Amino acid sequence: MSWLDDDGDDDDLDYDEADIRVRPNPKANRPRTKRRPAHADAQTARVLGVDRGRYTVLIDEDGPDERQILATRARELRKQPIVNGDRARVVGDTSGDDGTLARIVGIEERTSLLRRSADDTDQVERIIVANADQLLIVVAAADPEPRPRLVDRYLIAALDAGMHPLLVVTKTDLADPASFLAHFEGLDDLEVFTSGTGAMPVAEIGERLAGHATVFVGHSGVGKSTLVNALVPDAARATGHVNEVTGRGRHTSSSAVSLRYVGDQGRGWVIDTPGVRSFGLGHVDPANILRAYTDLAAVAEECPRGCTHLPDAPDCAIVEAVAEGRLGERGPARLDSLQRLLATFTT
């Protein structure tokens, strides 16, 4: 028999859906609101270290209740990088007791960012440290050999971030750093310290650290961790050696960490970073480099539009001013220093 032979009237059928069971969806019961709590009771803390999704932060810095606590990030911050030096807004259990975990719900506006990219063509930046105002570059006079171009890149990153640069040359008992330092004579803002076996300028460097947050950077094996341990005795940063075959140092610092410096001149922060062999500058605006040379920047206003200020730049006002002696005896050295940094973007 086919259903076509059914003479029944559909209108006589009684359809009742009351007995149909529908599983409720708890996530759909109420629309998710985009409004977030104001967290008026949040405390401001300094981020000291980051380790696998856990953040060591300092509550009540320099206050009577100063303490370190462990925190995680709030869900709404999952796409925002939180880095060493950040000023974080923290809620939850901020007692610092064992087993407690607070929550970071916001990041205060940053005053500076030290960044690098994978290479010069990569526009994706990696934030290394936030809110630091000084960059201390550590380089060895020998073993391993100094790399002027890498130091140039550090200087560019510092100038782009508005940070004051410092340079420490270690192992001066193995080689004379004079020829290496000659490359940087034209940069007035750069402070230089030299260090050798039994003659580490701890007091002089410490005087520059007081009242500042200073990022320490350097190639592996140059003695950066040794210097950090001398400045912060309880830091206990691991030290390594240089491979005799490759001439490269072994990475001993795996992540950036903030260490409290305490000296006769006051207190400050030493931010030790892992050693790197490359420092991409894909995120840097070359115009920020010229601004660091205030006297040259004033002359550059007379340059033609799009002037590179390099030796082959046509009608460059800076090159002409130096050739005519209008920038004094140090003019050639400062121009050479500027051109070395600008040429980094073309090599």
Side-chain angles (χ1 to χ4, degrees), residues 137-142 144-155 166-172 175-187 190-195 217-219 222 336-337 340-341:
I137 305 165
V138 184
V139 61
E145 293 296 319
R147 297 171 55 188
R149 287 300 181 187
L150 181 59
V151 176
D152 286 345
R153 290 173 174 271
Y154 286 139
L155 289 172
L166 307 168
L167 177 64
V168 178
V169 184
T170 64
K171 306 182 184 180
T172 54
D176 186 354
S179 59
F180 168 74
L181 293 176
H183 294 295
F184 310 101
E185 290 181 351
L187 188 56
L190 180 64
E191 294 186 69
V192 178
F193 305 88
T194 58
S195 175
V217 296
H219 189 282
V222 298
D336 178 70
S337 175
R340 275 175 54 85
L341 297 181

Side-chain angles (χ1 to χ4, degrees), residues 90-129:
V90 182
V91 298
D93 192 336
T94 60
S95 64
D97 296 337
D98 290 341
T100 61
L101 188 65
R103 186 160 54 100
I104 297 176
V105 295
I107 299 296
E108 301 289 346
E109 184 178 357
R110 293 156 170 166
T111 58
S112 69
L113 284 176
L114 179 63
R115 305 167 293 173
R116 74 181 181 98
S117 56
D119 54 55
D120 291 346
T121 62
D122 189 355
Q123 297 298 319
V124 179
E125 65 185 35
R126 176 187 176 188
I127 302 174
I128 303 174
V129 174

Side-chain angles (χ1 to χ4, degrees), residues 76-89:
E76 56 265 28
L77 298 181
R78 63 186 181 276
K79 294 184 178 180
Q80 178 176 350
I82 302 175
V83 299
N84 202 293
D86 266 329
R87 306 291 291 176
R89 300 178 64 242

Side-chain angles (χ1 to χ4, degrees), residues 13-308:
L13 298 178
D14 184 14
Y15 293 101
D16 185 6
E17 298 181 352
D19 59 343
I20 297 178
R21 299 182 62 184
V22 179
R23 178 175 295 178
N25 183 357
K27 294 184 178 180
N29 288 345
R30 184 174 56 184
R32 182 178 176 86
T33 177
K34 294 184 178 180
R35 298 180 62 185
R36 294 293 179 265
H39 297 298
D41 60 338
Q43 300 185 60
T44 302
R46 176 188 291 271
V47 177
L48 301 180
V50 182
D51 183 18
R52 291 169 293 184
R54 294 293 183 265
Y55 302 86
T56 301
V57 300
L58 186 69
I59 295 283
D60 193 31
E61 182 177 343
D62 294 327
D65 296 324
E66 179 180 285
R67 62 197 180 279
Q68 291 187 21
I69 67 171
L70 198 63
T72 186
R73 75 167 67 202
R75 184 175 182 180
E76 56 265 28
L77 298 181
R78 63 186 181 276
K79 294 184 178 180
Q80 178 176 350
I82 302 175
V83 299
N84 202 293
D86 266 329
R87 306 291 291 176
R89 300 178 64 242
V90 182
V91 298
D93 192 336
T94 60
S95 64
D97 296 337
D98 290 341
T100 61
L101 188 65
R103 186 160 54 100
I104 297 176
V105 295
I107 299 296
E108 301 289 346
E109 184 178 357
R110 293 156 170 166
T111 58
S112 69
L113 284 176
L114 179 63
R115 305 167 293 173
R116 74 181 181 98
S117 56
D119 54 55
D120 291 346
T121 62
D122 189 355
Q123 297 298 319
V124 179
E125 65 185 35
R126 176 187 176 188
I127 302 174
I128 303 174
V129 174
N131 301 321
D133 59 341
Q134 293 189 144
L135 182 71
L136 187 144
I137 305 165
V138 184
V139 61
D143 191 33
E145 293 296 319
R147 297 171 55 188
R149 287 300 181 187
L150 181 59
V151 176
D152 286 345
R153 290 173 174 271
Y154 286 139
L155 289 172
I156 290 172
L159 298 176
D160 180 66
M163 301 167 65
H164 178 62
L166 307 168
L167 177 64
V168 178
V169 184
T170 64
K171 306 182 184 180
T172 54
D173 52 307
L174 301 180
D176 186 354
S179 59
F180 168 74
L181 293 176
H183 294 295
F184 310 101
E185 290 181 351
L187 188 56
D188 287 339
D189 291 338
L190 180 64
E191 294 186 69
V192 178
F193 305 88
T194 58
S195 175
T197 302
M200 187 177 292
V202 175
E204 292 83 352
I205 296 175
E207 185 177 348
R208 298 297 187 274
L209 301 181
H212 298 280
T214 307
V215 184
F216 281 48
V217 296
H219 189 282
S220 301
V222 298
K224 177 169 60 67
S225 295
T226 300
L227 179 60
V228 170
N229 288 337
L231 291 164
V232 187
D234 59 349
R237 299 296 277 175
T239 58
H241 66 281
V242 177
N243 189 300
E244 295 181 358
V245 177
T246 64
R248 292 182 174 181
R250 179 171 60 89
H251 293 292
T252 55
S253 303
S254 58
S255 61
V257 60
S258 291
L259 305 166
R260 170 69 67 49
Y261 169 79
V262 180
D264 296 336
Q265 304 296 323
R267 311 207 299 179
W269 287 101
V270 169
I271 307 173
D272 190 18
T273 63
V276 297
R277 298 190 178 105
S278 64
F279 206 93
L281 300 173
H283 59 281
V284 172
D285 181 1
N288 291 338
I289 311 307
L290 178 60
R291 294 191 188 101
Y293 298 79
T294 54
D295 53 341
L296 303 185
V299 179
E301 295 179 359
E302 303 175 8
C303 287
R305 192 186 190 100
C307 182
T308 63

